[in-house]
Amino acid sequence: MTRISRRKFLAGATLGVGGLVTGTGAATAGRPQRHVVGTRTAAATRAAERAATTVHHTLDFGGIGQAVAGVFSAAAITNLRRRPDVRYVEVDAPVHAIGQTVPWGVDRVDAEVAHASGETGSGANLAIIDTGIDSDHPDLVGNLGDGVAFVTARGRYAQPWDDDDGHGTHCAGIADAVDDSNGVVGVAGGTTLHAVKVLDKRGSGYTSDVAAGIEYVADQGWDVGSMSLGASAGTQTLQDACTYAANLGTLLVAAAGNSGGAVEYPATYDTVVAVSATDENDRLPNWSCRGPAVDLAAPGVDIYSTYAGGGYATLSGTSMACPHVSGAAAMLMATGQTASQARSTLTSSAEDVGLSSNEQGAGLLDVATAFGLDSSDDLSVDTTAPSAPSNLSTSGVTDTSVDLAWDASTSKDVDHYQVYVDGSAGPTTAVTSITVSGLSAGTSYTFTVTAVDGAGNESGASNAVTVTTTGTSAGNAAPTGTITGVTEIDDPSPHATFDVAWTASDVDGNLSTVTLTLTDDTTSGTREATSSTAVGGSSASGTTSLKAHKDEGTGHSYTVQLTVTDGSGSTGGDSTTTTEDGQ
Amino acid sequence: MVLAGRLDATLTNDGVEFSFTVTNAGDDPVLLAFDSGFLAEFVVSDGEREVWRWSDGRLFTQVRSSETLEPGGSLTRDATWPDPTPGAYEAVATLQSATADAEARTDVVV
């Protein structure tokens, strides 16, 4: 029989070697130490396993040989070193991760946003109903509470509920790896973890053992039971156990299943929160189960977490999605929410990632939103433009305004609509109609509308609509004006009085004002008089009297300025000079 | 057939212990991918009806895994049929991989 080691078997399980440093491993005299015994034969491997006080792993390197990692007494080390089929004996140097990794799933559900606000699930009790939990994993021990074994770990383990597979340790780390400076951080990070071992080292177990584990969790009054397990058929015992736990106020969360078909058991029960899996692009992998029983989606592809033997691994499955939700549920129940309140909060706060309800249930787990926090720093940046609005039409048209209405974009994430007037950005609105005002009379305008989402992505333009405002156009042509004559009036007053004859015209028919000024050039530009006359239409003429006070008989010279203004503020005009006649 | 299956049955005090070994008999590596912790099924029938199915009443880890079997390499899964009723039976073991098929049969007399 060919021996298949666990590590070799979990292909795709990237053990966490990157970013690790080896400790100096200072020897402590007298105390049994962790050693690795490299062997050449199966007999030597068995001898090493027997000699060990505790076996942590047996590694199979194929043609190279095998290696047994464990705790050995000094005498055992001496004896093993004498065997010709032992290749080496070395101290098992501890490795430490440099800094703490935030796995993508924890980031995607914005659990770290909740951590920053002090939400860690501290005070709640979360049971991992699985293959056990590595009882001395440095990234879990700080959160470990109790353990119970309905199936006893096979091998030499410190606890009967120790993890002889690795799966339960992985799930425990996803939900609740300690938030410290090492390894990974879990969704909760500070809730109390309990190991409920119901599955064997090959990753399977009887439904009766699982049911017993569920009953135990409920009887302890623990808040959440996380079940990264399933099968295509359930049993009455399993269903009854789930109902019992729900009645006692324990929230059960389970993996939807990996068969790609309908949601499996126990996840499909109403008393259990069923979790489907998503990848880093918020897509549902084809193997994730789906259907109306799905309650929530959570990250489940290439999830990095703790693994048995003190290490780390990257695994995929709805098994990995489930504990994301379990950790979040524990965080909510730590704040005093009941199981049903936590379930309701999780579903109402879930993020719609555009999958069907059969795929995502209420949506992707969103821990930050569940705590009323801003989750806008979502890992995935939305670069998808919404669909364009359609059927743009006009209704009311006046000389200065146009009413527009359109059919909404079919995209769900539209933030507002942007109106374009002759290609330039105009007003915006959150609804599907608007009155564009401040327009000019008798003028043709072309309107389009785009949809803009919350991330600022803008759709293509709607259909274009061209409409002409009522009334007469103000036009753009400047008016003109001409001074047709300046005559000094001889009168008995002490003032010099000039009659200025003028004409004004505007091709747009929008004359507004004629202004005449009289400036004394001899006295360096003294403004002697200003007179304005309201005019209209396309042409006007008149005579305006301008008076230079007490200038009679001075012989000063003057400038007469004619300014014609139209309705749109454009000007034109004329000027001339004249001289007081000295009389 | 690239994958060769072999099913051994041994009567013990615990019942009938099955050992199902799948060996890559070909010249190229074979990828075995699994959707869950359910890697192999064991079914016993008395010639007319099924009398025992290993996966009945079992739950499995919902984690995906895979292994590449090199030429000559093998994978073994064990199962125990508890409390069998005396009689003559046929046992069938089937690999539960989406990427490769393997099956083996054996007669069992209890």
Side-chain angles (χ1 to χ4, degrees):
Chain A
M1 184 195 303
T2 299
R3 187 187 180 101
I4 305 296
S5 77
R6 177 172 58 229
R7 171 172 179 176
K8 192 173 157 195
F9 197 75
L10 278 165
T14 315
L15 293 181
V17 288
L20 295 172
V21 290
T22 304
T24 50
T28 308
R31 221 179 70 195
Q33 272 197 296
R34 283 182 71 137
H35 281 81
V36 181
V37 179
T39 60
R40 192 169 281 120
T41 64
T45 301
R46 282 195 298 274
E49 286 174 337
R50 277 197 302 271
T53 314
T54 305
V55 175
H56 291 291
H57 329 269
T58 298
L59 304 170
D60 187 355
F61 300 120
I64 299 169
Q66 296 182 333
V68 178
V71 179
F72 299 84
S73 68
I77 293 298
T78 304
N79 288 334
L80 287 166
R81 280 210 167 104
R82 289 189 183 128
R83 289 182 68 112
D85 52 357
V86 166
R87 293 180 293 136
Y88 59 84
V89 177
E90 64 185 12
V91 173
D92 191 3
V95 293
H96 304 288
I98 303 169
Q100 176 174 268
T101 299
V102 178
W104 79 261
V106 171
D107 191 352
R108 181 65 190 88
V109 302
D110 286 321
E112 85 289 1
V113 176
H115 297 167
S117 292
E119 305 290 354
T120 66
S122 176
N125 290 285
L126 168 58
I128 304 296
I129 304 170
D130 211 292
T131 59
I133 298 177
D134 181 352
S135 64
D136 64 356
H137 198 295
D139 219 357
L140 296 172
V141 286
N143 286 341
L144 267 181
D146 301 326
V148 61
F150 294 89
V151 174
T152 302
R154 284 167 61 185
R156 290 177 185 158
Y157 288 96
Q159 302 290 343
W161 47 263
D162 245 300
D163 187 3
D164 52 0
D165 177 82
H167 181 266
T169 300
H170 199 266
C171 295
I174 292 168
D176 195 36
V178 177
D179 188 3
D180 55 12
S181 57
N182 289 310
V184 294
V185 60
V187 170
T191 207
T192 301
L193 281 172
H194 303 289
V196 178
K197 182 167 172 61
V198 296
L199 302 180
D200 63 21
K201 67 184 299 177
R202 285 284 170 86
S204 82
Y206 288 108
T207 51
S208 58
D209 286 329
V210 176
I214 294 167
E215 178 194 37
Y216 182 88
V217 169
D219 285 342
Q220 305 310 303
W222 290 340
D223 299 292
V224 181
S226 188
M227 298 187 286
S228 290
L229 48 83
S232 57
T235 63
Q236 192 61 51
T237 312
L238 183 63
Q239 183 168 11
D240 289 349
C242 293
T243 304
Y244 176 76
N247 289 344
L248 263 62
T250 295
L251 184 59
L252 296 176
V253 184
N258 295 352
S259 68
V263 174
E264 299 192 342
Y265 297 82
T268 195
Y269 297 136
D270 289 344
T271 49
V272 179
V273 177
V275 187
S276 63
T278 53
D279 65 16
E280 282 192 78
N281 297 314
D282 296 340
R283 303 269 171 75
L284 197 82
N286 57 6
W287 45 260
S288 176
C289 286
R290 61 204 68 203
V294 170
D295 293 294
L296 287 166
V301 178
D302 295 338
I303 303 299
Y304 183 68
S305 181
T306 49
Y307 204 71
Y312 296 85
T314 300
L315 297 174
S316 296
T318 50
S319 271
M320 284 65 243
C322 166
H324 281 90
V325 173
S326 304
M331 294 170 79
L332 290 169
M333 292 180 76
T335 67
Q337 292 195 15
T338 65
S340 59
Q341 286 170 337
R343 182 172 184 159
S344 171
T345 302
L346 290 172
T347 51
S348 64
S349 61
E351 179 186 350
D352 180 1
V353 292
L355 299 171
S356 71
S357 61
N358 276 352
E359 295 171 325
Q360 68 175 0
L364 183 70
L365 174 68
D366 187 338
V367 180
T369 301
F371 280 94
L373 302 167
D374 179 16
S375 64
S376 60
D377 71 330
D378 284 345
L379 188 68
S380 73
V381 177
D382 179 8
T383 56
T384 305
S387 67
S390 57
N391 290 329
L392 176 64
S393 63
T394 62
S395 47
V397 179
T398 71
D399 57 345
T400 59
S401 71
V402 174
D403 294 336
L404 299 172
W406 55 91
D407 291 348
S409 162
T410 57
S411 301
K412 293 175 180 172
D413 61 346
V414 171
D415 181 71
H416 64 270
Y417 293 94
Q418 171 73 57
V419 176
Y420 285 85
V421 183
D422 290 328
S424 297
T428 62
T429 176
V431 296
T432 56
S433 63
I434 195 171
T435 298
V436 181
S437 56
L439 303 174
S440 298
T443 305
S444 172
Y445 293 97
T446 297
F447 300 96
T448 56
V449 179
T450 62
V452 181
D453 70 16
N457 301 304
E458 187 170 7
S459 74
S462 68
N463 58 301
V465 166
T466 300
V467 62
T468 302
T469 49
T470 60
T472 308
S473 168
N476 292 324
T480 57
T482 306
I483 297 169
T484 54
V486 179
T487 308
E488 186 178 358
I489 305 302
D490 286 326
D491 61 19
S493 80
H495 315 301
T497 303
F498 300 91
D499 280 342
V500 181
W502 49 264
T503 62
S505 65
D506 180 22
V507 294
D508 303 309
N510 196 30
L511 284 174
S512 175
T513 312
V514 167
T515 302
L516 286 152
T517 59
L518 180 69
T519 306
D520 188 339
D521 299 324
T522 305
T523 58
S524 306
T526 303
R527 175 70 57 83
E528 296 288 356
T530 299
S531 176
S532 289
T533 304
V535 292
S538 58
S539 66
S541 63
T543 300
T544 300
S545 287
L546 299 171
K547 195 174 284 182
H549 283 253
K550 300 190 176 174
D551 278 2
E552 182 70 356
T554 58
H556 288 181
S557 67
Y558 303 87
T559 295
V560 179
Q561 173 70 47
L562 167 68
T563 303
V564 181
T565 306
D566 70 7
S568 55
S570 297
T571 58
D574 195 10
S575 70
T576 188
T577 57
T578 188
T579 304
E580 201 276 329
D581 65 7
Q583 294 176 11
Chain B
M1 189 164 172
V2 174
L3 290 183
R6 175 178 168 175
L7 180 59
D8 295 318
T10 311
L11 193 59
T12 72
N13 290 337
D14 295 331
V16 178
E17 291 185 354
F18 293 107
S19 181
F20 176 41
T21 300
V22 175
T23 303
N24 180 1
D27 298 327
D28 299 311
V30 175
L31 176 72
L32 305 180
F34 302 95
D35 283 336
S36 72
F38 186 21
L39 304 201
E41 177 69 292
F42 298 83
V43 177
V44 175
S45 60
D46 64 4
E48 291 180 357
R49 59 184 185 87
E50 183 177 309
V51 298
W52 178 74
R53 177 176 288 266
W54 178 76
S55 69
D56 274 352
R58 279 188 177 269
L59 295 164
F60 302 93
T61 53
Q62 294 300 312
V63 62
R64 291 161 58 76
S65 64
S66 64
E67 180 187 359
T68 300
L69 275 190
E70 297 297 330
S74 63
L75 163 74
T76 298
R77 298 300 275 188
D78 301 323
T80 301
W81 175 26
D83 307 321
T85 306
Y89 303 95
E90 181 187 48
V92 180
T94 315
L95 193 69
Q96 301 293 305
S97 170
T99 54
D101 293 328
E103 188 177 279
R105 294 165 184 270
T106 189
D107 292 328
V108 181
V109 177
V110 180

